[in-house]
Amino acid sequence: TTAGRATAAAVDAAAAAAASFEEEQIGYMRKTPSLAEVSSLMAELSTVDLVEAARTDERSTREELRCVLAVIRHGDRTPKQKLKVRVRQPALLALFVKHADSKGKQAKLKSPAQLQELLDISRSLLQELERPLPVGLSEEDIETREEQREKLRIVKTVLEQGGQFSGINRKVQLKPLTWYRPPPPAAEQDSTSDSHAAAGTQTTQQEGKSQQDKQQQGSDGGNAADASTKQQQDNKQQPVLQEVLLILKYGGVLTHAGRAQAEELGKVFRMVMYPR
C-alpha cells in the first residue's frame, strides 16, 4: 500500500545516507598527505632539504625494533661465602698500603694483577707457617698461628680455582684495625738535648748587649729550637699500621643446573617473543 511504500522509501533513504556518511568518514581517515605536500610544507616552514624529507617519509612507513628489555633472575648457583682473618705479616700490610683508597680506610683487590699478587703472598706465608714452630711460643700464639695457616690455605685454594681470575666472582678487602706511633730513637733525644745546651751557651756568651737582651734572645732561641724539634718529631713519628683484617668474598658461581636453566629459558624467550 501507499504507507508501506513510504516506509520502505524512508528506510532506503536512511540506509543510503548512512552508507554515504560512512564512506565519507572512511575516506577522511584514509586520506593522507602526499609526499609533495609534506615536502613543500616542510620546505616552507623550516627550509628542510627535500632529499632528507623523502628519507624521513620513507622511514616513517616502516617499524624497527630498537631494543628488548627483560628482567630475569639468575639460575641456580653456589652460595656466596665470606672469610675473615686478622693478619700482621709485613707483606700483607705493605699490600694494604699499596692499594689503599684515597681515604685510607680500605683496599679492594679485584683485578687479576691484584689477586695474583695476593696469591703469591699467600703461598709465601704458607711456606713460612708450615715450618716447625719456634721455641718459646705461648699457647695463644700457637692457636693464632694455626688459625692463620688454615684460613690462608682457604684463601690460596679459592684464588687458585679455575686456573685464572676472569669469569669467577672473587674479591678481597683489606681493612686496617690497629695503628701505633713509634717513640723517637734515643740518639735523636740526645742530639736534641745537645742542641738545646749549645743554643743556651751561645746566647749567654754574646758581647756588647745587656743582660735583658741576653735573656730575651736565649728564650727566643730555646722556643724556636723546641718548636722545630717538635715538628721534626711529629713528622718522623707517623702512625704505623700494625694489623689488618683480610676479608675474602667468593661463591655465587653458576652451577651446571643453572647453566641448563639459562639455556632453556633463552630458547623459550626466543620462541615466545619472536615466533617467526
Side-chain angles (χ1 to χ4, degrees):
T1 61
T2 305
R5 292 176 181 177
T7 304
V11 171
D12 294 340
S20 176
F21 178 78
E22 184 178 358
E23 290 179 358
E24 183 179 357
Q25 292 295 323
I26 293 176
Y28 177 76
M29 293 172 63
R30 290 179 177 176
K31 184 179 179 181
T32 56
S34 63
L35 177 61
E37 294 175 351
V38 173
S39 301
S40 61
L41 180 60
M42 294 178 66
E44 290 177 2
L45 294 178
S46 57
T47 63
V48 179
D49 187 9
L50 297 180
V51 177
E52 183 62 28
R55 293 176 180 175
T56 303
D57 185 72
E58 182 181 359
R59 287 196 299 266
S60 64
T61 59
R62 302 194 309 267
E63 293 183 355
E64 180 180 356
L65 179 64
R66 295 298 182 89
C67 67
V68 176
L69 300 179
V71 180
I72 302 174
R73 189 183 183 275
H74 60 79
D76 183 65
R77 62 179 184 175
T78 60
K80 290 187 175 181
Q81 301 185 52
K82 183 185 295 186
L83 173 70
K84 295 182 179 181
V85 55
R86 303 166 71 104
V87 293
R88 294 193 174 193
Q89 286 78 1
L92 293 175
L93 299 181
L95 186 64
F96 168 81
V97 175
K98 180 179 179 181
H99 299 289
D101 56 10
S102 59
K103 296 182 179 180
K105 293 184 177 181
Q106 64 177 350
K108 293 184 178 180
L109 309 180
K110 295 182 180 180
S111 66
Q114 294 173 341
L115 295 177
Q116 182 63 49
E117 189 175 0
L118 176 62
L119 177 58
D120 296 337
I121 295 175
S122 301
R123 290 170 177 170
S124 177
L125 293 178
L126 277 176
Q127 292 179 357
E128 296 179 2
L129 293 175
E130 288 174 355
R131 295 173 183 172
L133 295 176
V135 182
L137 287 180
S138 62
E139 201 173 306
E140 183 179 357
D141 293 338
I142 294 176
E143 292 180 359
T144 303
R145 184 185 177 94
E146 293 293 333
E147 180 185 0
Q148 287 188 354
R149 184 176 63 181
E150 294 302 323
K151 290 187 176 181
L152 284 177
R153 283 178 180 173
I154 298 176
V155 172
K156 175 177 172 291
T157 302
V158 171
L159 294 179
E160 290 177 344
Q161 288 179 355
Q164 56 184 359
F165 294 108
S166 61
I168 301 179
N169 184 18
R170 289 169 291 187
K171 60 182 179 179
V172 178
Q173 287 179 282
L174 296 174
K175 295 184 177 181
L177 293 180
T178 58
W179 301 77
Y180 77 97
R181 191 181 296 274
E188 291 186 4
Q189 293 180 354
D190 296 339
S191 61
T192 301
S193 59
D194 294 340
S195 63
H196 288 176
T201 304
Q202 184 178 3
T203 54
T204 54
Q205 291 180 354
Q206 290 179 351
E207 298 177 357
K209 294 185 179 180
S210 63
Q211 185 67 24
Q212 183 178 0
D213 295 338
K214 293 180 182 179
Q215 295 177 357
Q216 184 67 28
Q217 290 178 0
S219 61
D220 293 342
N223 294 334
D226 292 339
S228 61
T229 304
K230 184 177 180 182
Q231 184 177 3
Q232 292 177 359
Q233 291 179 356
D234 292 340
N235 294 334
K236 293 180 180 180
Q237 297 176 11
Q238 294 295 331
V240 179
L241 182 62
Q242 188 175 14
E243 186 179 27
V244 297
L245 178 65
L246 189 150
I247 305 173
L248 172 65
K249 297 180 181 179
Y250 60 101
V253 182
L254 198 66
T255 62
H256 295 288
R259 182 181 294 275
Q261 293 170 357
E263 293 177 354
E264 185 65 23
L265 177 61
K267 294 176 182 179
V268 174
F269 186 81
R270 172 69 176 83
M271 296 304 296
V272 172
M273 293 296 296
Y274 314 103
R276 289 185 292 176

